């Protein structure tokens, strides 16, 4: 029932229960009752049902009430409320008595009908209902789990001067708790306080206990303080419940404040509270505080019990303080006749987690010698540790050994299956699964999830699919994790369509995929180059009402940037904020990296300071990304400062860090600093890669320091690294620029000998170098080899080759190459045009040279002075005087413009 319907119910027959003159009868009744908030008054015996009284004279009357209740209920259940039903009720009982109304309310199940009858009876009797009638109505609302009208009823009761009885209050809260509507229970208690009604003690404690199981410490603390305000006597048990939750949440200060409050209430902590403090504070990382509680309890005359010792030992083991744990364990065992199995299990797990398997075995044997048979838990502890270490054979041996002492349980088999699947021993895992069935245990969904997840990670997708299809859904129904593991496994192995079909099957089975499933689908569609499908999945997720998490948005942003959608990547970063998340250090790193790759490195500075302002703590990845951005945008000094900051903050620079800064320094000719950083990286044991070496080869080569470039190249190969084509091209380019063409050709042969195939850049460098030293025929040989290998020359290569052939007098080849270049969609530059005009002019092909001269002018390319002079001479020789006049005019205009620019 919604709130509007409730309002209508409370205005039934024109009676409105608010603070108005119309409420006089209610107030009069309240004064007449002169009752407390929690129950009926002792002064009005008619207000209380006396069904269970012992007066024999009233039995006939009670029988009459029972009969009346049955008749009224029969009428109420006969059809919808209306005038005919009201007439029938009047005929049955024109002026219903209190006992009758209470009896009817206790028997009815329909809340709507009960509320209408409640108001009808009030109108007919012309007086307000008694407290028990209200309590009966409230109990019905609680049983029906209908809490919408509670506040209005409580307000009405408050105006009448009474409140729900303690039992009713407790039952209402208990009903909310059973329905998992804890917020409604909390609001109910707040409503009672709002209307000056005193909630029952047990209502508070019931709700506090329920809230502790769902980790709602703040609501619990509010209720606890309210109890203190009302004067309820809070006990140690209640303090313990609150302290446990706050300590588990890591809110140590609040837990300590409660302990102080305990002492101020003159309460003494019992052993249970001390055990809780040791366990919870220890697990929250406050090991020294746990030790303090351990010693403090002895001072207060409380002797540590098995739980105390076991908790403290577990805390110490988890904190890697194994020596202290062993010492405490030995102290506990000293002069002890009966071993504490829980402490042995904890200590065995501690040894196993620390990799001390022999000590764990010895402790297991010691437990046997003391007459205590190790439980399945102890063996499971050892198997778990062996599983983490990956010692499968030893795990199987322990499994066979444990059968003599303890019966393996479902957890045992799951641990073994997990261990075997991790090791890729599928057949053995299946055999263990079958032996599990023989032992009377049946694989649960956890067993199947382990096998499917491990098989997917081992890229055995067909086996994982076979297991999934073989699951008996009546006995072992796949859950969200099952679907998620298989969807991700299929996607990672490129079977995105199968993954999507399984996602649709998941929807058909009534399960709503979470953000993890959508993250996997989006990532794998993009990975397969199907970005449209990736975008479609994201839209589906939004349509389904599934909220993305920060991991999904970060992953989506990575995919979008990798696919070249820079603006979409920017908008996704904004969407992180729109979805209510705060971008983390990974979000910023993804954005910066994506923008750098798209050529927007200059934005790194602004984003870096924004990241700092938001309080993001930079990790190694973030530092590397920002440093790379600074280097690529020419802010090498800032990059260098960040590298030093990394060291101070405890993030050792990686090969990526050093590589970015070395490359940045090399590109601005700060080669000595780059080399010093290179040596620093080696001294710190950083494994430098080919990229770093190539940066130095390129840097030294460009400034003509060929010897250093050679030394870096030699060191690279001595380290066992193989130079890639970029490294060779850097060295070749340096040699060509130094006109060491013969040395460049030797390097080219070495490159081929080392099985490093040349690319189009390699050929372009050599062709350019050979043309520079006028070895045009040799250059043409490389040109032909380049085309044989299927490389398509770029404009620079064409221009270089055309120029070289023209200068060598091979004008036919040059012209043919020039025409082929244009036919293939090439756009010649000014240098190419001028070279061809000069070549044709020198070859006495003045008419063709002039035609190309006109084409060059139409294209808007500059005509060089030397070109004009050579062409003019050729035209005069060919008696092309008209054309010569035009070229002469162009030459004069060129001379004037050059003179003017010099004057300026």
């Amino acid at each position: 029932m919604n709130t509007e319907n409730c309002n209508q119910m409370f205005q039934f027959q024109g009676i409105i229960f608010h603070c108005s003159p119309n409420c006089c009868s209610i107030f009069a009744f309240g004064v007449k009752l002169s009752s407390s908030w929690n129950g009926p008054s002792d002064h009005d015996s008619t207000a209380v049902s006396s069904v269970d009284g012992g007066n024999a004279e009233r039995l006939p009357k009670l029988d009459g009430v029972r009969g009346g209740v049955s008749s009224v209920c029969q009428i109420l259940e006969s059809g919808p409320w209306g005038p005919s039903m009201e007439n029938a009720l009047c005929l049955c009982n024109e002026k219903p008595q209190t006992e009758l109304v209470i009896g009817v309310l206790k028997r009815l199940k329909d809340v709507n009908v009960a509320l209408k009858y409640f108001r009808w009876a009030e109108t007919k009797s012309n007086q307000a209902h008694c407290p028990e009638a209200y309590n009966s109505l409230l109990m019905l609302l609680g049983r029906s789990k209908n809490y919408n009208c509670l506040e209005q009823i409580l307000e009405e009761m408050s105006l009448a001067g009474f409140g729900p009885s303690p039992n009713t209050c407790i039952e209402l809260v208990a009903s909310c708790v059973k329905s998992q509507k804890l917020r409604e229970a909390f609001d109910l208690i707040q409503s009672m306080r709002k209307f000056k009604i005193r909630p029952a003690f047990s209502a508070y404690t019931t709700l506090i206990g329920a809230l502790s199981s769902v980790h709602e410490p703040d609501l619990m603390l509010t209720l606890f303080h309210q109890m203190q305000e009302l004067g309820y006597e809070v006990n140690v048990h209640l303090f313990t419940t609150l302290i446990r939750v706050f300590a588990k949440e890591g809110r140590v200060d609040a837990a300590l404040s409660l302990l102080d409050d305990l002492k101020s209430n003159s309460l003494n902590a019992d052993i249970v509270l001390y055990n809780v403090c040791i366990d919870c504070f220890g697990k929250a990382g406050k090991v020294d505080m746990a030790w303090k509680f351990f010693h403090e309890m002895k001072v207060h005359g409380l002797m540590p019990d098995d739980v105390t010792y076991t908790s403290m030992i577990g805390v110490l083991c988890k904190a890697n303080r194994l020596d202290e744990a062993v010492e405490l364990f030995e102290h506990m065992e000293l002069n002890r006749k009966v071993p504490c199995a829980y402490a042995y299990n904890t200590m065995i797990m501690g040894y196993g987690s620390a990799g001390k398997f022999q000590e764990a075995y010895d402790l297991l044997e010691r437990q046997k010698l003391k007459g205590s048979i190790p439980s399945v838990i102890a063996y499971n502890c050892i198997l778990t540790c062996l599983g983490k270490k990956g010692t499968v054979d030893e795990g199987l041996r322990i499994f066979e050994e444990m059968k003599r002492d303890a019966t393996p349980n479902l957890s045992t088999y799951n641990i073994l299956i997990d261990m075997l699947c991790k090791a890729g021993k599928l057949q053995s895992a299946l055999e263990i699964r079958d032996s599990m069935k023989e032992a009377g245990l049946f694989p649960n969904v956890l067993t199947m999830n382990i096998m499917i997840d491990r098989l997917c990670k081992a890229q055995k997708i067909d086996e994982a699919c076979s297991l999934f299809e073989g699951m008996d859904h009546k006995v072992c129904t796949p859950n969200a994790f099952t679907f998620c593991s298989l969807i991700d496994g299929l996607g990672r192995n490129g079977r995105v369509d199968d993954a999507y079909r399984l996602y649709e099957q998941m929807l058909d089975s009534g399960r709503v995929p979470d953000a993890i499933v959508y993250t996997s689908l989006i990532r794998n569609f993009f990975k397969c180059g199907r970005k449209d499908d990736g975008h479609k999945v994201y839209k589906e997720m939004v349509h389904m009402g599934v909220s993305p998490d920060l991991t999904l948005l970060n992953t989506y942003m990575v995919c979008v940037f990798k696919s070249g959608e820079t603006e979409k990547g920017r908008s996704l970063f904004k969407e992180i904020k729109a979805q209510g998340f705060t971008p983390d250090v990974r979000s910023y790193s993804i954005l910066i990296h994506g923008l750098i790759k798209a050529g927007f490195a200059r934005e790194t500075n602004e984003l870096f300071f924004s990241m700092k302002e938001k309080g993001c703590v930079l990790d190694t990845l973030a530092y590397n990304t920002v440093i790379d951005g600074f280097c690529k945008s020419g802010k090498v000094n800032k990059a260098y400062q960040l590298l030093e900051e990394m060291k101070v903050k405890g993030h050792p620079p990686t090969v990526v860090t050093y590589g970015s800064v070395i490359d940045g320094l090399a590109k601005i000719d700060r080669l000595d600093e780059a080399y010093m950083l290179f040596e620093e990286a080696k001294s710190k044991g950083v494994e430098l890669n080919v990229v770093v070496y190539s940066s130095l080869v390129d840097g030294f080569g460009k400034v003509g320091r060929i010897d250093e470039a050679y030394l870096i190249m030699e060191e690279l190969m001595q380290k066992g690294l193989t130079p890639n084509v970029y490294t060779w091209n850097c060295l070749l380019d340096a040699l060509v620029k130094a006109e060491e063409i013969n040395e460049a050709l030797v390097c080219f042969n070495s490159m081929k000998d080392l099985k490093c195939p040349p690319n189009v850049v390699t050929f372009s460098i050599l062709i350019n170098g050979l043309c520079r030293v006028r070895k045009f025929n040799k250059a043409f040989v490389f040109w032909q080899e380049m085309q044989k290998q299927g490389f398509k020359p770029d404009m620079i290569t064409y221009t270089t080759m055309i120029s070289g052939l023209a200068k060598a007098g091979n004008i036919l080849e040059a012209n043919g190459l020039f025409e082929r270049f244009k036919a293939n969609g090439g756009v010649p530059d000014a240098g190419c045009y001028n070279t061809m005009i000069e070549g044709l002019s020198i070859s006495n092909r003045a008419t063709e040279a002039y035609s190309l001269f006109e084409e060059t002018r139409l294209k808007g390319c500059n005509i060089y002075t030397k070109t004009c002079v050579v062409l003019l001479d050729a035209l005069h020789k060919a008696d092309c005087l008209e054309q010569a006049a035009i070229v002469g005019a162009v030459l004069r205009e060129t001379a004037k413009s050059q003179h003017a620019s010099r004057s300026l």
Side-chain angles (χ1 to χ4, degrees):
M1 181 188 296
N2 58 34
T3 308
E4 185 181 347
N5 290 338
C6 287
N7 287 330
Q8 291 173 357
M9 293 295 180
F10 282 95
Q11 295 173 10
F12 186 70
Q13 293 292 333
I15 300 172
I16 303 175
F17 293 94
H18 291 289
C19 285
S20 68
N22 294 335
C23 298
C24 292
S25 63
I26 298 175
F27 283 116
F29 184 73
V31 171
K32 180 182 174 185
L33 288 173
S34 185
S35 66
S36 70
W37 288 337
N38 286 326
S41 168
D42 294 334
H43 297 95
D44 188 5
S45 59
T46 63
V48 182
S49 174
S50 55
V51 174
D52 57 348
N55 193 339
E57 294 177 2
R58 301 184 66 187
L59 288 176
K61 183 180 177 182
L62 290 176
D63 289 339
V65 169
R66 290 193 189 100
V69 167
S70 297
S71 300
V72 170
C73 288
Q74 193 173 0
I75 292 168
L76 291 172
E77 291 167 358
S78 64
W81 186 275
S84 59
M85 182 177 285
E86 289 183 26
N87 292 334
L89 288 171
C90 287
L91 290 172
C92 180
N93 194 322
E94 188 172 352
K95 191 173 182 181
Q97 298 300 310
T98 299
E99 290 86 352
L100 177 67
V101 173
I102 293 167
V104 170
L105 291 173
K106 285 181 177 179
R107 192 177 294 185
L108 284 175
K109 294 179 180 177
D110 190 319
V111 174
N112 294 336
V113 173
L115 279 168
K116 288 174 181 174
Y117 175 72
F118 188 77
R119 294 305 173 206
W120 177 84
E122 188 175 48
T123 306
K124 291 299 177 183
S125 63
N126 199 27
Q127 64 177 6
H129 287 296
C130 69
E132 190 168 353
Y134 274 103
N135 280 314
S136 298
L137 181 61
L138 287 174
M139 293 290 272
L140 173 59
L141 290 173
R143 288 195 305 273
S144 304
K145 298 178 177 54
N146 189 320
Y147 310 111
N148 294 326
C149 304
L150 279 174
E151 186 167 340
Q152 291 182 351
I153 295 173
L154 291 171
E155 183 180 10
E156 188 177 324
M157 293 176 79
S158 175
L159 289 170
F162 55 84
S165 68
N167 283 343
T168 303
C169 178
I170 294 164
E171 283 297 320
L172 282 171
V173 171
S175 171
C176 290
V177 169
K178 285 176 185 174
S179 306
Q180 296 297 309
K181 294 189 175 181
L182 303 186
R183 188 76 215 192
E184 285 83 346
F186 181 83
D187 292 341
L188 169 63
I189 287 180
Q190 302 319 302
S191 296
M192 292 175 73
R193 285 177 55 79
K194 174 182 167 184
F195 299 125
K196 310 299 182 187
I197 298 169
R198 183 187 178 90
F201 177 87
S202 294
Y204 274 111
T205 55
T206 299
L207 184 52
I208 288 172
L211 289 168
S212 71
S213 63
V214 293
H215 303 288
E216 287 282 1
D218 293 318
L219 295 182
M220 292 170 66
L221 193 61
T222 300
L223 295 172
F224 181 75
H225 287 322
Q226 288 177 9
M227 290 180 74
Q228 291 177 309
E229 288 170 16
L230 291 170
Y232 282 129
E233 187 178 337
V234 289
N235 54 30
V236 176
H237 174 71
L238 207 53
F239 273 104
T240 304
T241 303
L242 269 87
I243 290 166
R244 177 187 281 113
V245 174
F246 274 102
K248 279 186 176 178
E249 291 282 313
R251 295 170 64 176
V252 177
D253 291 339
L256 290 173
S257 176
L258 282 165
L259 283 169
D260 291 337
D261 197 6
L262 174 86
K263 292 172 185 175
S264 65
N265 277 273
S266 302
L267 294 172
N268 294 319
D270 57 13
I271 193 165
V272 175
L273 179 55
Y274 274 114
N275 287 345
V276 166
C277 287
I278 289 166
D279 184 58
C280 295
F281 280 95
K283 285 177 179 174
K286 305 291 180 181
V287 182
D288 292 331
M289 198 173 284
W291 260 129
K292 174 182 166 291
F293 286 119
F294 184 84
H295 294 302
E296 186 182 300
M297 66 186 292
K298 292 181 179 179
V299 173
H300 287 90
L302 295 171
M303 293 305 297
D305 61 7
D306 288 349
V307 176
T308 319
Y309 276 109
T310 304
S311 296
M312 195 67 228
I313 290 166
V315 165
L316 292 167
C317 287
K318 188 180 177 184
N320 296 320
R321 291 164 66 166
L322 194 62
D323 292 339
E324 292 173 77
V326 172
E327 186 180 347
L328 186 62
F329 178 79
E330 295 300 337
H331 181 268
M332 180 195 76
E333 281 294 282
L334 190 65
N335 301 321
R336 190 185 183 99
K337 293 181 180 178
V338 180
C340 173
Y342 293 110
Y344 271 92
N345 291 343
T346 305
M347 199 66 241
I348 287 167
M349 179 61 93
Y351 276 130
S353 298
K356 296 189 174 184
F357 296 107
Q358 189 55 51
E359 287 85 343
Y361 298 151
D362 292 344
L363 196 57
L364 196 72
E365 293 301 320
R366 178 171 153 190
Q367 186 179 354
K368 293 179 186 178
L369 291 171
K370 285 211 167 191
S372 173
I373 299 173
S375 67
V376 67
I377 297 170
Y379 280 104
N380 285 351
C381 289
I382 289 181
L383 288 172
T384 299
C385 297
L386 290 171
K388 288 177 182 176
K389 193 181 177 185
T391 50
V392 179
D393 294 335
E394 185 66 9
L396 292 171
R397 187 188 70 76
I398 292 292
F399 174 65
E400 293 301 323
E401 184 182 310
M402 77 174 286
K403 292 177 184 176
R404 297 196 294 268
D405 298 323
T407 303
N409 60 14
L410 197 56
S411 296
T412 315
Y413 285 102
N414 284 343
I415 293 165
L416 276 174
I417 288 169
D418 186 34
M419 190 189 301
L420 289 163
C421 287
K422 273 183 185 176
K425 297 187 175 183
L426 174 62
Q427 192 55 43
S428 299
L430 291 171
E431 288 170 8
I432 291 290
R433 185 194 64 177
D434 294 338
S435 67
M436 182 179 178
K437 293 177 182 177
E438 291 169 9
L441 297 169
F442 291 93
N444 59 6
V445 70
L446 176 61
T447 317
M448 302 310 292
N449 285 349
I450 289 168
M451 296 187 77
I452 288 169
D453 184 59
R454 298 305 177 202
L455 287 169
C456 286
K457 284 174 179 171
Q459 298 187 351
K460 295 185 176 181
I461 303 301
D462 291 333
E463 292 89 336
C465 290
S466 177
L467 273 177
F468 177 81
E469 289 163 8
M471 286 176 74
D472 185 346
H473 289 204
K474 293 180 181 177
V475 179
C476 181
T477 308
N479 59 16
F481 186 85
T482 324
F483 280 103
C484 184
S485 293
L486 197 50
I487 287 169
D488 190 55
L490 287 164
R492 284 181 186 275
N493 280 270
R495 293 169 60 177
V496 285
D497 291 320
D498 291 336
Y500 191 79
R501 275 192 289 273
L502 191 60
Y503 154 74
E504 290 180 317
Q505 187 180 330
M506 185 180 184
L507 291 174
D508 293 339
S509 68
R511 291 173 179 79
V512 179
D514 59 10
I516 298 171
V517 173
Y518 284 107
T519 304
S520 172
L521 287 170
I522 290 167
R523 180 182 59 242
N524 291 319
F525 269 122
F526 270 92
K527 189 179 172 184
C528 291
R530 293 168 60 176
K531 66 178 184 179
D532 291 338
D533 289 321
H535 292 311
K536 177 187 166 188
V537 167
Y538 184 76
K539 288 175 184 174
E540 276 184 29
M541 181 194 76
V542 173
H543 180 71
M544 290 284 294
V546 177
S547 299
D549 58 14
L550 188 55
T551 303
L552 183 144
L553 291 168
N554 282 343
T555 303
Y556 193 17
M557 194 161 49
V558 169
C559 295
V560 163
F561 273 121
K562 281 185 177 177
S563 67
E565 298 178 87
T566 307
E567 292 310 311
K568 176 69 175 173
R570 288 182 194 270
S571 67
L572 272 174
F573 185 79
K574 292 175 183 174
E575 190 170 338
I576 288 174
K577 298 174 184 177
Q579 290 282 354
F581 299 109
T582 302
D584 61 4
V585 69
R586 184 163 181 261
S587 312
Y588 278 102
S589 298
I590 294 163
L591 178 62
I592 293 169
H593 183 72
L595 292 174
I596 291 167
K597 291 290 183 187
F600 299 100
R602 293 190 178 278
E603 296 181 37
T604 301
N605 194 46
E606 183 185 341
L607 287 168
F608 171 64
F609 284 109
S610 173
M611 185 168 25
K612 286 269 191 178
E613 282 174 14
K614 299 294 182 186
C616 290
V617 179
L618 275 69
D619 56 11
T620 303
L621 175 63
Y623 271 113
N624 287 346
T625 305
V626 174
I627 286 169
D628 187 48
F630 279 143
C631 288
K632 283 187 168 61
S633 59
K635 296 173 182 174
V636 183
N637 288 335
K638 282 191 175 182
Y640 213 128
Q641 288 169 6
L642 270 185
L643 186 144
E644 294 302 319
E645 183 184 306
M646 273 184 85
K647 299 173 189 174
V648 174
K649 298 281 186 181
H651 298 288
T654 65
V655 63
V656 177
T657 326
Y658 281 111
S660 295
V661 182
I662 289 167
D663 187 61
L665 290 167
K667 278 183 168 56
I668 57 172
D669 298 341
R670 288 164 61 178
L671 288 155
D672 293 328
E673 292 172 78
Y675 190 75
M676 284 173 64
L677 204 58
F678 173 73
E679 290 296 326
E680 179 190 306
K682 289 193 292 182
S683 68
K684 291 185 178 294
V686 177
E687 290 289 332
L688 299 177
N689 56 25
V690 175
V691 177
V692 181
Y693 281 96
S694 299
S695 295
L696 285 174
V697 170
D698 186 44
F700 281 121
K702 279 180 178 172
V703 296
R705 294 166 67 173
I706 308 295
D707 291 339
E708 282 105 326
Y710 257 122
L711 287 170
I712 296 293
M713 191 73 158
E714 286 175 15
E715 184 181 322
L716 182 156
M717 290 191 275
Q718 284 171 2
K719 292 280 185 182
L721 299 171
T722 304
N724 57 27
V725 67
Y726 174 76
T727 323
W728 285 110
N729 286 347
C730 291
L731 186 59
L732 287 170
D733 189 54
L735 291 166
V736 163
K737 284 175 180 173
E739 296 191 355
E740 296 281 354
I741 193 64
N742 291 328
E743 192 64 32
L745 292 171
V746 170
C747 279
F748 178 74
N749 290 326
S750 298
M751 179 181 179
K752 291 196 293 184
D753 291 341
L754 290 169
K755 309 298 182 188
C756 181
N759 60 12
V760 66
V761 177
T762 317
F763 283 107
S764 296
I765 291 168
L766 288 171
I767 289 168
N768 180 50
L770 288 163
C771 288
R772 285 176 70 171
V773 295
R774 308 189 65 79
K775 292 188 176 182
F776 303 114
N777 292 331
K778 183 71 173 174
F780 192 65
V781 170
F782 273 99
W783 170 270
Q784 290 174 319
E785 185 180 340
M786 178 183 184
Q787 290 188 306
K788 279 180 188 176
Q789 292 195 22
F791 292 119
K792 186 178 179 181
D794 58 13
M795 190 185 74
I796 297 170
T797 316
Y798 264 109
T799 304
T800 303
M801 196 63 243
I802 291 165
S803 175
L805 289 168
K807 286 174 184 177
N810 296 333
I811 196 63
L812 287 174
E813 290 90 341
N815 193 47
L817 204 57
F818 182 70
E819 293 301 328
R820 197 186 318 158
F821 177 49
K822 290 195 290 181
N824 289 333
V827 180
D829 62 359
C832 193
Y833 274 114
N834 280 281
T835 299
M836 280 303 302
I837 292 167
E838 287 181 40
L840 290 167
S841 299
I842 293 166
S843 301
N844 299 318
R845 296 167 70 174
T847 307
E848 293 174 65
Y850 181 76
S851 296
L852 199 57
F853 169 81
E854 288 295 325
E855 183 183 326
T856 306
R857 292 178 67 201
L858 286 171
K859 295 285 185 182
C861 295
N862 292 329
I863 306 291
Y864 303 157
T865 302
K866 181 188 172 187
T867 307
C868 288
V869 171
V870 173
L871 177 58
L872 192 60
D873 185 53
L875 289 168
H876 278 132
K877 286 180 182 178
D879 291 329
C880 299
L881 301 179
E882 186 179 341
Q883 290 89 336
I886 295 170
V887 173
V890 171
L891 182 60
R892 285 191 294 275
E893 287 297 321
T894 306
K896 281 180 185 178
S897 64
Q898 287 175 349
H899 178 72
S901 63
R902 286 195 197 98
S903 300
L904 290 170

